[in-house]
Amino acid sequence: MADAPDSDTRIAALQAELAAVRAEMQHFIFAVSHDLRAPLRHILSYAQLVQEDAGPQLSLEVQEFLATIVGSARHMGVLLDGLAALSRVGTVPLDISAVSLQELVSAVCGELAAQHPERTIEWRIANDLPTVQADAALLRQALSEVLGNAVKFTAHRPLAQIEIAATSEAGSGDVTLRVWDNGAGYNSALKDQLFRVFSRLHSANQFPGIGIGLVLTQKVVERLGGSVHLEGAQDAGCTVHLQLKACSAD
């Protein structure tokens, strides 16, 4: 009777199987987001042509039907863009280097502040954010999603407060970046839905979006060897914890 494979061999086989499943899923997501675009463009284009050429001759009810078709087609395009973004996160080659969280966080916050000049936002950025090992472009994308959510979900507050701080875990080589806001929070009983593609815990009438930002953030951070954890409560704000790899000491 042949000896059973040792644990290292089994682990290697499982890792190879997992990598194959992930590659297949990435290919599927790319194919779906890419191959659906052509028929979607046709639906949108011809519906708009009917609106332009025959709109005045149609009843108000039929005009509303056409408007629904156009609006739904555009929304589907946004959903496909989200799937394509997820696909790219899983396939883009990593360029790992030392990344200053201080500089990156300040840059992303500055961009968001410029995009919302009408808002009153109190930014509380710690002045001792550390340097981490990461892909700068991917980490910037994740931070844009997290900080963008903080801006979005504080939209109904007269004074939005967003706080960014970090702690280094002694001995683990990890850094935890915390992003807290005083926004709408979420129902903690539905926490498991936060990292599902296109899942939303607030209606589109309350807050815009398609429910992909946290999924993308999780995928980015996990590719960088870290993890994402959330804490929050309904109407009591939210804290996002991003665990990242600290820079090795020279």
Side-chain angles (χ1 to χ4, degrees), residues 33-90:
S33 62
H34 180 269
D35 295 343
L36 290 180
R37 290 187 183 278
L40 180 62
R41 282 195 298 269
H42 291 155
I43 292 171
L44 182 58
S45 297
Y46 282 104
Q48 288 175 321
L49 285 174
V50 172
Q51 279 184 319
E52 294 170 4
D53 293 346
Q57 306 169 40
L58 302 174
S59 68
L60 288 178
E61 184 180 29
V62 174
Q63 290 182 42
E64 290 175 358
F65 292 160
L66 278 173
T68 298
I69 292 172
V70 170
S72 297
R74 286 175 174 160
H75 181 63
M76 183 177 288
V78 174
L79 297 180
L80 292 178
D81 288 342
L83 286 177
L86 276 180
S87 177
R88 286 192 295 272
V89 166

Side-chain angles (χ1 to χ4, degrees), residues 73-117:
R74 286 175 174 160
H75 181 63
M76 183 177 288
V78 174
L79 297 180
L80 292 178
D81 288 342
L83 286 177
L86 276 180
S87 177
R88 286 192 295 272
V89 166
T91 57
V92 64
L94 293 178
D95 181 15
I96 302 297
S97 63
V99 179
S100 168
L101 283 178
Q102 197 74 52
E103 295 178 2
L104 193 56
V105 166
S106 296
V108 173
C109 290
E111 292 174 0
L112 290 168
Q115 292 169 15
H116 301 276

Side-chain angles (χ1 to χ4, degrees), residues 118-122 154-161 182:
E118 78 289 354
R119 295 280 307 279
T120 302
I121 303 175
E122 180 182 310
T154 56
H156 301 160
R157 302 298 193 218
L159 173 62
Q161 297 174 324
N182 68 332

Side-chain angles (χ1 to χ4, degrees), residues 19-232:
V21 170
R22 285 177 173 170
E24 183 178 358
M25 182 59 66
Q26 292 296 333
H27 176 74
F28 172 75
I29 291 174
F30 176 81
V32 168
S33 62
H34 180 269
D35 295 343
L36 290 180
R37 290 187 183 278
L40 180 62
R41 282 195 298 269
H42 291 155
I43 292 171
L44 182 58
S45 297
Y46 282 104
Q48 288 175 321
L49 285 174
V50 172
Q51 279 184 319
E52 294 170 4
D53 293 346
Q57 306 169 40
L58 302 174
S59 68
L60 288 178
E61 184 180 29
V62 174
Q63 290 182 42
E64 290 175 358
F65 292 160
L66 278 173
T68 298
I69 292 172
V70 170
S72 297
R74 286 175 174 160
H75 181 63
M76 183 177 288
V78 174
L79 297 180
L80 292 178
D81 288 342
L83 286 177
L86 276 180
S87 177
R88 286 192 295 272
V89 166
T91 57
V92 64
L94 293 178
D95 181 15
I96 302 297
S97 63
V99 179
S100 168
L101 283 178
Q102 197 74 52
E103 295 178 2
L104 193 56
V105 166
S106 296
V108 173
C109 290
E111 292 174 0
L112 290 168
Q115 292 169 15
H116 301 276
E118 78 289 354
R119 295 280 307 279
T120 302
I121 303 175
E122 180 182 310
W123 299 94
R124 304 174 184 172
I125 306 173
N127 59 11
D128 60 350
L129 299 181
T131 299
V132 295
Q133 290 279 5
D135 181 293
L138 280 181
L139 184 54
R140 185 187 190 97
Q141 188 175 9
L143 288 176
S144 294
E145 295 291 347
V146 171
L147 292 167
N149 274 351
V151 171
K152 175 168 65 176
F153 290 113
T154 56
H156 301 160
R157 302 298 193 218
L159 173 62
Q161 297 174 324
I162 300 172
E163 182 175 292
I164 305 102
T167 55
S168 297
E169 307 298 329
S172 70
D174 292 334
V175 167
T176 299
L177 182 72
R178 298 186 310 279
V179 177
W180 169 86
D181 68 70
N182 68 332
Y186 59 89
N187 183 347
S188 58
L190 303 176
K191 188 174 182 177
D192 291 344
Q193 299 181 27
L194 289 171
F195 294 101
R196 296 178 185 174
V197 177
F198 302 141
S199 178
R200 295 173 51 88
L201 300 187
H202 303 87
S203 72
N205 290 331
Q206 291 175 298
F207 302 100
I210 60 173
I212 207 166
L214 282 177
V215 180
L216 190 148
T217 298
Q218 183 183 53
K219 196 164 188 177
V220 166
V221 174
E222 288 181 349
R223 275 210 76 190
L224 298 177
S227 61
V228 182
H229 172 68
L230 267 70
E231 296 175 346

